[in-house]
Each structure stands twice: as structure tokens, then as C-alpha cells.
Amino acid sequence: MELTGQLIEIIYQNEVNSYLIGVLENEEDSITIVGYMPFLVEGDYIKVIGNFVNHKDYGRQFKVETFEKILPKTLDSLEKYLSNGTIKGIGPATAKKIIKTFGENTVNIFKFEPEKLAQIKGITKEKAREMGESFVENWDIWQIVGYLSNFGVGPANAKNIYKKLGPQTIDEIEDNPYILVDLVKGVDFAKIDKYALENGFDINNYKRIKCGIKYALIKITYNGHCCTLQENLIRYVRDLLNVQDDDIEHCLIDLNVKEEIVIEKREDINWVYSKELYDAEVNIANKLITLDSAVNMKKIHGFNKELEKLEKVSNMKLSARQEEAIKAINTNNVVIITGGPGTGKTTIIKNVIDIYKTHGKKVVLCAPTGRAAKRMTEMTGEEAKTLHRLLEIGKIEKDNEFTIMNYEVAPIDADVIIVDEASMVDIYLMNYLLNGIYQGTKLVLVGDTDQLPSVGPGSILKDIINSKKIKTIFLDEIFRQAAQSKIIVNSHRVNDGEYFLNKEEEEGLKEDFFYIKEKSQEKMLEQVISLCKGRLKDYGDYEFFENIQILSPTKKGMLGTKELNKKLQEELNPENTNKNERKMGEVIYREGDRVMQVKNNYDIYWEKGNGITIKYENGTGIFNGELGRIEKIDYINKQIKIVFDDEKEAWYAFTDMDQIEHAYAITVHKAQGSEFDVVIMVISGSSPMLLTRNLLYTGLTRAKKLLILIGNDNVVKFMIQNTDTKIRNTGLEYKLKMIE
């Protein structure tokens, strides 16, 4: 449907993503409109295209798919438009004078003869020109949203495109629609290609082929790759565009010469990169070697005595490998410490903090996710930040930028930087991190390479270790206390490709691991519900909302997180007349629900503590992976209150609820970097791509006190043997080895 009218009121407007709730008035009615509508101010005249929907709480609304601004039809409405502050330097009094002076010719005066505005008292010629430019700029912006909808580009992205291309946006895209691939993340290539071909582009046009190449290089990053074999790229582009290999090769050479892509020859094999990812790998390799080979300015002399003193004070004897790791940090500028659970990584971190702090050195702790940073704080008693927070790089995500090379990160004021869960760090984060480290600062990367790789592209920790260019300590001894835990022993057995302990081998070990074998998915679901609804309470006084987390390898199917969340909500937080709820799409959110933040939000305000019994704190920022519960749903103010696990309280507008998901059950990928008192892990048939040894190992190592595995034994055995983890195409190891 199409509606036309004046936006007489803006009820809500999100400055970051341009989501708007407003009232549109036309001759027949006043209508509530909702949708992503950048550039709008009260008083604008617009044409909106979309559909009426019935909202559970707010009744009939018009959901806008796309819109365009239109010029006001009458002099009265034009005066209102000029009065609303859109045109720089014009208020209500000046608008009245302009309309009185120029009448029906007002728009032409602004567009073609703005200097005539100086006829009005108080407007200089310079001011008149500025007013004309402002009017024309707004006119240009008006056209863009409607035009870009032809390519499946929504209004939210239209704003970013205009920022980059300016007033020539439409001309530039008309000339080459394929530039949208460079400008919009996740753009629909098929729609752009169809539009271009329908509007005169030849199937063999080199702009089209070059765009297909760039699009393919963006697509590979979704699977974690930084580069691809040239022959594979040619085959993909040939099938995508139905063009000849010769033309693709010609375009590859041209793009390479113009440095829009990079072709790297390794042992007579050509690997193709987007320019930014190639530059990032080069930058990471160079920065690591430069950092490591710099003068060891932070070295502590008499370090061995310091270590002995610390051991006496703490009454703890370090293992030979732990001592080696701590000494390596003193004698090297960059060190990697890698090992599985129970191998003493935390003890090393604590000792390093103690020694360097005693000598007045500043140690900064950080991790890739909010949950991992929180766990680091709990383990060490020292504040740990997320890498995003430490480097102040929230703006990158907000602006939806592609570039990762030229972004200025905040330099880190530190003598020693320790990064935990380093296996989760992708190429983007590592590039930002190294750009923020002063030469002379020590960098310690701590992680477990046998866990799942980073969500983003790259295989950073593994590549650095494999290069053998950076001092690496492998922790392979399980400490006595940890060796009493069935969770830890079985995790290591899985990692070594072995089945779980048998009854005889379990003797004398802590009863913290239970394996319930079930073939039927229905029975597995029954077990999960029964455990959560009382059995674990009776067994160890474990409360679901306090201690227990369900993990699944997948989102799909009866035992995927989507269905598990629905079922567990029904069982553990059922519909209740005393509890408010809010429907978002197919999902109902209810007061009392467990939820997870699924995007980094750097701006959201939070508070914690009451200032009397608990210290009051406030700040901004809730990060991907943080868990909490919905405490209140406020229909009047259209917002919900979430209390997070670390007691932060934050209010979310209803329009920001796309940032949360139910978290009764979460995927193993989402759980990485976190620990929970009790983990119930459900394993049934799924895609072999997900049923891998490192996914099972990662899930098992999320449990602190108790692990219950409910699974089909054949599938579990398959996972233990399935080391077919997708190998990522990267070149960091090669680049590090090439540096003399």
C-alpha cells in the first residue's frame, strides 16, 4: 500500500539505526507509522510504501518498507516545511516572509536562483547561497531512499551510502550499480546484478565481473577464510555470472594491478585476497615481529628471586612448565601460553600480575567477549575489559564500515597486556589490538587452540603458533586437583580422540560428570525438562535461573536452541496474568525470561548497586554474550528492564529488542569464553559440519561444577573421531615465516 501525508509527530527516533515511530497525517486520517526512516524531521511530507499491521499492544500501525520525501503541495504546507528547521538559517518568521515574497515560485528560487532570497531583510547574499545549498542537499537526499529500494537496500543503509557518495549518489550508482557491493555489508548481489543487466549492462562487462570477484571475496569471510585459491575463485565467479575464464582472469590481473585485490604466490600457488584482509595479515605479522624484537624495556631484573619470594608468600609450588611460562614473559616481549582446562593458565596469569604490579608496572587484562572478560575478572580479582571497550572501537560497528586498516584505535596505556581466550580473536580484532600497542609493551596471548575458532575470519592463534616465530609455552600437564575432576579428565580424553572414562577408571574421582545415553529426541527433551524442573534442585540445590545452562550444537531442530527455548520457557516461566509479555515476530518475551545480548551496544546506559549496601556504579555498554533476565516490561513507556548476571540494570526501548534472544538454551559457539556452574549439553543428529571434536570439547569445558551430557552415543562417538574441522584459508603463518 502507498500513503502520502505530513509527518506531524515523531514519537521515537533511534539516531544510530534510524528506526522511527511517528504520526502521518493526510486528508482522511492520522496514522501511526513505524520503520527505518533516516533523514526525517517533524513537518516533512512523505510517501510511504508498506502494509497495515495489528500490534498486540498498540493496535493498527503502518509498517513502512520504503519511503521518499515529497515536496509540500500547498503554500501553507511549504511554509510549515521551511519552518521545521530542515533548512539551515530558516525559522518560522523567515519562512513566512519567503512564502509571502515568492509564492508559487518558492521552490524554483531555492533550486535555481537562491541569491534572490537576499531580497528579504536580514538575509545576506552569502546566507542566501547557503540556504539554497541546504535546500538542494535535502532534495538530493529525498530521492535516495526510494531509488535504493530498487536494489533491496533498506533505508538504514541508504544513510551510510549517502555519507560516502554525497550529492552524486544516484548518478554514481546509475553509472555503476555494482559499487553497492563495496558500500553495503551483506547486500543482495543478485538484485544488483539483475537491475544492472536490465538497464543495459552487458553480461561480459568488466565492471560486472570485477564486482563478482569482490563479492566472492566478501562471501568467503563468512566461512572464516581470509583468502581463496585463484582456481576456486574463477570457478565460483564463472558459475555466478555465466562468463568466460579468460575474462575473469583479465579482471583479476587488472584488480591486482590497481591494488583493489591482492594475488599472493605461495610455492607456485596463487591465493587471492581482498586488499584490506591482505594488508591486515601483513600488518599483524610485521607488528608482532617488531614488538617481539624491540628492546625488552619492561624486563624485571632479579626475576627468579621475585618468583621464589612469591611462591613462599602464596605457599604454592609452580610446575616446571608454569615457571617456564612466567620467565618467558619476562625475557620476551610477545609470548603465547596455550593449554586445555586444568593445566594452570590462570595461576600463571595471577603470578604475572602480582610480580609486575609489585614493581609498579601496569598490567591490563582483556578478552574478546563480555562473558570472557567477566570470567577473567572473577579468576584474577582484577578488572578485565573486552577488546572492543579497551580499544574504544564501537564506532566501527555502528558505521558499518568495511575498512579495518585506517581506523585509529585508542593507544593502550600498559606495560603488560594479557589477552585471554585468544583463540576467539579474529583478524579484525587482532589488527586493531596491535595498532593500539606501543612498542616496548609486553603482549601475552592465552588460549586453547583446540576450541572452536573465531566467528570472524582468520585462524590467528593457531597461525602464530604454527609459524614458530613467537615464543610459545604448551601446557600439557593436568594438575592434581584438576585431575580429580571427571569433567576435566573426560575433556582431555575427547581432545585426544578417546572415549570417556569407564567405571573402573572413574573410581575415586569427583562425581561431576554424568552421561545419559538416549536415542530418542523426545526422551532427551524429557530428560532436560526433568533435570531443570527439580532433579538438579534435589541433587545439589541447583536452581535453573541461578546455576544451570543448556547447550546445543545447533539452532535448528527439536533439540536446537530455538525449539528448546520455546519449550523451556513454557515449562520454567509459563504464561501468567501477573507477568507482562511482549511479542517480537514469532517470539514472546515475558517478565522472568532468561535472555542474552547478541550485539555489542556501546551506548546503552546501565546502573548497578544502591549506594547503601552495595556500591553504586553506572556506565554505558552491554556486549554480545552477556546474560540476564527480563525484570519488567513497561507498556506505557514502551521499554523493558533487563538485570544482567553481574547485576547491571538496563532499560531497552521496544524497538531495540532485536538485540536480545532467549537464553534458556544457547549454542556452544555462543557459550565459548563463558563458564557455568552446571551445563546440560544435548547431542543428537545434526549437520556433520557441526558435529566435530572441537565443538564437543568446547561444550564440555564450559562446566565448572557439574556436567550432564544427554546424547545419542553413536553421534557422540562420531564427534570424538570427527577432526574434520573446516580448515581456514589464511596466510598469516606464511607471512610470519617470511620475515627474517
Side-chain angles (χ1 to χ4, degrees):
M1 287 183 68
E2 187 180 292
L3 300 175
T4 302
Q6 186 180 25
L7 184 63
I8 59 165
E9 183 187 357
I10 292 176
I11 298 166
Y12 171 82
Q13 191 168 30
N14 185 313
E15 290 300 322
V16 176
N17 66 12
S18 304
Y19 189 86
L20 182 144
I21 303 169
V23 179
L24 184 77
E25 186 177 77
N26 58 21
E27 289 168 9
E28 290 109 40
D29 204 358
S30 293
I31 300 136
T32 301
I33 60 171
V34 297
Y36 294 95
M37 292 174 271
F39 317 122
L40 292 184
V41 293
E42 284 183 2
D44 277 347
Y45 283 79
I46 54 176
K47 178 170 78 177
V48 293
I49 296 167
N51 289 292
F52 277 106
V53 293
N54 276 307
H55 191 279
K56 178 176 173 285
D57 302 315
Y58 305 113
R60 196 164 182 253
Q61 298 178 333
F62 192 81
K63 190 175 181 185
V64 178
E65 296 299 326
T66 189
F67 79 99
E68 62 179 280
K69 288 193 186 186
I70 54 176
L71 277 173
K73 296 282 191 292
T74 65
L75 290 179
D76 188 39
S77 58
L78 183 57
E79 184 184 326
K80 273 189 201 167
Y81 169 73
L82 293 174
S83 303
N84 70 11
T86 303
I87 310 301
K88 194 178 169 187
I90 301 178
T94 307
K96 192 177 276 298
K97 288 177 192 172
I98 291 170
I99 295 297
K100 193 175 177 184
T101 306
F102 300 108
E104 300 286 348
N105 203 31
T106 299
V107 171
N108 287 331
I109 292 292
F110 271 103
K111 285 171 75 175
F112 307 116
E113 300 177 282
E115 61 280 356
K116 286 190 175 178
L117 293 168
Q119 293 173 23
I120 293 165
K121 196 176 175 185
I123 299 179
T124 63
K125 283 198 172 176
E126 190 182 340
K127 217 172 177 186
R129 276 193 295 273
E130 282 176 9
M131 287 174 178
E133 283 168 14
S134 182
F135 187 92
V136 170
E137 184 180 330
N138 273 279
W139 173 258
D140 289 337
I141 290 171
W142 297 351
Q143 316 304 308
I144 288 166
V145 176
Y147 174 74
L148 287 175
S149 66
N150 293 319
F151 306 99
V153 175
N157 278 320
K159 192 173 182 179
N160 290 328
I161 291 170
Y162 181 78
K163 265 198 231 167
K164 290 164 189 168
L165 299 182
Q168 287 78 43
T169 297
I170 291 175
D171 290 341
E172 292 214 24
I173 295 168
E174 281 288 337
D175 183 51
N176 179 14
Y178 293 107
I179 60 170
L180 288 169
V181 168
D182 290 329
L183 297 171
V184 186
K185 202 172 181 180
V187 72
D188 187 336
F189 177 82
K191 272 191 178 172
I192 292 171
D193 194 38
K194 184 171 182 283
Y195 180 92
L197 292 173
E198 284 172 356
N199 285 274
F201 265 72
D202 186 70
I203 195 167
N204 296 313
N205 186 299
Y206 279 180
K207 285 179 183 173
R208 177 174 185 258
I209 297 170
K210 286 176 183 177
C211 177
I213 291 167
K214 288 182 178 179
Y215 174 69
L217 292 175
I218 291 166
K219 287 269 285 186
I220 63 166
T221 64
Y222 300 156
N223 290 318
H225 303 300
C226 294
C227 56
T228 183
L229 286 166
Q230 183 170 316
E231 61 192 74
N232 291 349
L233 177 65
I234 289 170
R235 186 166 60 245
Y236 178 84
V237 175
R238 182 207 310 142
D239 294 343
L240 178 72
L241 303 179
N242 193 26
V243 291
Q244 299 298 310
D245 288 6
D246 288 350
D247 289 329
I248 301 168
E249 284 171 12
H250 179 90
C251 289
L252 280 168
I253 292 164
D254 195 43
L255 285 168
N256 190 44
V257 168
K258 290 176 177 168
E259 297 188 349
E260 292 180 55
I261 64 165
V262 175
I263 300 173
E264 180 179 68
K265 191 180 275 289
R266 293 183 227 149
E267 296 167 357
D268 293 328
I269 296 170
N270 284 347
W271 293 89
V272 187
Y273 286 82
S274 66
K275 179 75 164 66
E276 60 152 18
L277 287 184
Y278 178 82
D279 287 348
E281 279 194 350
V282 169
N283 189 52
I284 290 167
N286 288 335
K287 284 270 168 73
L288 280 170
I289 299 300
T290 304
L291 267 179
D292 194 45
S293 57
V295 176
N296 192 347
M297 294 160 57
K298 312 296 180 185
K299 185 173 184 177
I300 294 170
H301 298 286
F303 191 81
N304 291 359
K305 285 182 182 173
E306 291 285 345
L307 201 50
E308 286 169 24
K309 207 190 299 176
L310 192 64
E311 283 186 279
K312 276 181 190 165
V313 172
S314 61
N315 195 26
M316 178 182 59
K317 180 67 185 155
L318 295 167
S319 73
R321 198 53 65 86
Q322 284 177 315
E323 271 196 28
E324 184 192 353
I326 296 167
K327 287 175 182 174
I329 292 166
N330 191 48
T331 53
N332 296 273
N333 286 328
V334 184
V335 174
I336 293 171
I337 298 166
T338 183
T343 56
K345 297 192 294 288
T346 303
T347 302
I348 292 167
I349 293 171
K350 283 179 178 172
N351 278 275
V352 169
I353 293 167
D354 288 342
I355 292 173
Y356 281 90
K357 278 181 76 177
T358 303
H359 283 260
K361 307 285 187 196
K362 184 175 179 183
V363 181
V364 166
L365 307 181
C366 55
T369 67
R371 292 284 297 178
K374 183 190 171 203
R375 190 163 66 92
M376 204 178 184
T377 299
E378 290 167 351
M379 290 187 315
T380 63
E382 301 283 332
E383 186 196 7
K385 291 183 176 179
T386 65
L387 283 163
H388 284 81
R389 170 70 81 195
L390 180 68
L391 297 164
E392 298 171 16
I393 54 177
K395 182 178 178 294
I396 295 168
E397 292 192 5
K398 277 193 241 168
D399 286 354
N400 201 21
E401 293 284 351
F402 277 112
T403 180
I404 60 173
M405 289 308 301
N406 302 323
Y407 187 78
E408 291 293 323
V409 296
I412 305 165
D413 176 21
D415 297 302
V416 183
I417 298 167
I418 302 176
V419 184
D420 198 15
E421 297 288 354
S423 64
M424 296 175 72
V425 177
D426 64 17
I427 190 168
Y428 302 113
L429 263 183
M430 182 56 79
N431 194 61
Y432 298 137
L433 173 64
L434 291 170
N435 284 344
I437 298 178
Y438 290 114
Q439 199 161 313
T441 302
K442 287 182 178 289
L443 174 64
V444 183
L445 301 174
V446 183
D448 183 351
T449 54
D450 294 315
Q451 287 189 25
L452 293 166
S454 59
V455 175
S459 185
I460 301 297
L461 190 65
K462 203 172 267 188
D463 282 359
I464 299 170
I465 292 170
N466 290 346
S467 75
K468 297 186 169 63
K469 295 298 282 266
I470 299 296
K471 179 70 177 175
T472 301
I473 308 296
F474 297 90
L475 304 175
D476 47 18
E477 177 190 346
I478 306 176
F479 282 86
R480 191 172 59 80
Q481 192 179 350
Q484 304 305 305
S485 162
K486 285 192 212 170
I487 297 172
I488 287 174
V489 175
N490 278 326
S491 297
H492 281 276
R493 285 178 73 95
V494 165
N495 200 33
D496 293 335
E498 296 172 23
Y499 192 66
F500 307 124
L501 295 165
N502 61 39
K503 284 281 179 216
E504 291 76 31
E505 292 169 320
E506 286 180 341
E507 209 168 305
L509 297 186
K510 227 192 289 180
E511 289 295 321
D512 59 359
F513 178 99
F514 295 95
Y515 179 19
I516 301 170
K517 297 177 188 177
E518 293 283 7
K519 286 190 176 172
S520 150
Q521 292 196 3
E522 287 79 6
K523 289 261 178 69
M524 289 186 204
L525 184 58
E526 283 171 22
Q527 291 278 11
V528 171
I529 290 164
S530 159
L531 285 161
C532 295
K533 284 190 79 175
R535 278 164 66 195
L536 282 169
K537 172 74 175 165
D538 297 339
Y539 175 77
D541 200 25
Y542 295 119
E543 293 277 3
F544 181 83
F545 289 103
E546 298 297 320
N547 313 96
I548 302 165
Q549 183 61 58
I550 315 295
L551 300 185
S552 171
T554 178
K555 290 181 179 180
K556 297 173 183 173
M558 184 192 287
L559 296 172
T561 55
K562 283 186 177 175
E563 288 303 316
L564 280 170
N565 275 319
K566 263 191 221 169
K567 198 70 190 163
L568 288 162
Q569 183 195 39
E570 284 170 22
E571 297 288 343
L572 301 169
N573 189 30
E575 191 176 355
N576 185 319
T577 50
N578 296 321
K579 289 184 176 182
N580 288 344
E581 29 179 82
R582 162 91 182 157
K583 191 167 185 183
M584 290 283 293
E586 296 301 307
V587 181
I588 294 169
Y589 289 97
R590 188 173 293 134
E591 289 172 348
D593 276 346
R594 176 185 278 174
V595 291
M596 175 186 267
Q597 177 80 10
V598 293
K599 295 177 183 176
N600 288 330
N601 184 331
Y602 300 88
D603 301 319
I604 197 163
Y605 176 77
W606 56 260
E607 295 179 309
K608 79 189 213 185
N610 55 19
I612 305 164
T613 54
I614 304 164
K615 181 189 165 197
Y616 174 79
E617 292 177 65
N618 64 3
T620 57
I622 307 284
F623 299 101
N624 188 358
E626 293 199 50
L627 289 162
R629 287 186 78 184
I630 297 175
E631 186 174 277
K632 186 173 175 60
I633 297 179
D634 179 350
Y635 295 144
I636 295 167
N637 295 304
K638 303 183 183 67
Q639 54 186 0
I640 67 167
K641 181 183 183 182
I642 299 175
V643 179
F644 287 90
D645 285 358
D646 58 358
E647 295 172 5
K648 289 197 299 276
E649 297 179 1
W651 285 94
Y652 286 63
F654 282 177
T655 48
D656 290 331
M657 284 175 68
D658 61 340
Q659 297 177 25
I660 60 168
E661 285 178 2
H662 277 133
Y664 294 89
I666 61 176
T667 62
V668 176
H669 283 85
K670 282 283 184 194
Q672 192 165 357
S674 306
E675 276 188 344
F676 309 94
D677 287 344
V678 180
V679 166
I680 301 172
M681 189 174 177
V682 194
I683 303 286
S684 67
S686 185
S687 160
M689 207 169 76
L690 290 170
L691 300 175
T692 61
R693 181 189 294 175
N694 65 353
L695 186 136
L696 179 60
Y697 171 71
T698 302
L700 298 179
T701 54
R702 299 309 92 207
K704 280 198 283 191
K705 296 180 180 175
L706 183 63
L707 175 73
I708 299 165
L709 181 65
I710 303 170
N712 180 320
D713 197 43
N714 291 331
V715 177
V716 171
K717 283 175 177 169
F718 171 79
M719 289 179 84
I720 292 170
Q721 298 310 317
N722 182 16
T723 55
D724 188 24
T725 311
K726 221 169 185 183
I727 292 176
R728 294 187 165 194
N729 296 327
T730 65
L732 180 59
E733 178 188 338
Y734 171 79
K735 291 174 180 64
L736 282 163
K737 285 177 174 175
M738 288 297 104
I739 298 174
E740 292 301 323

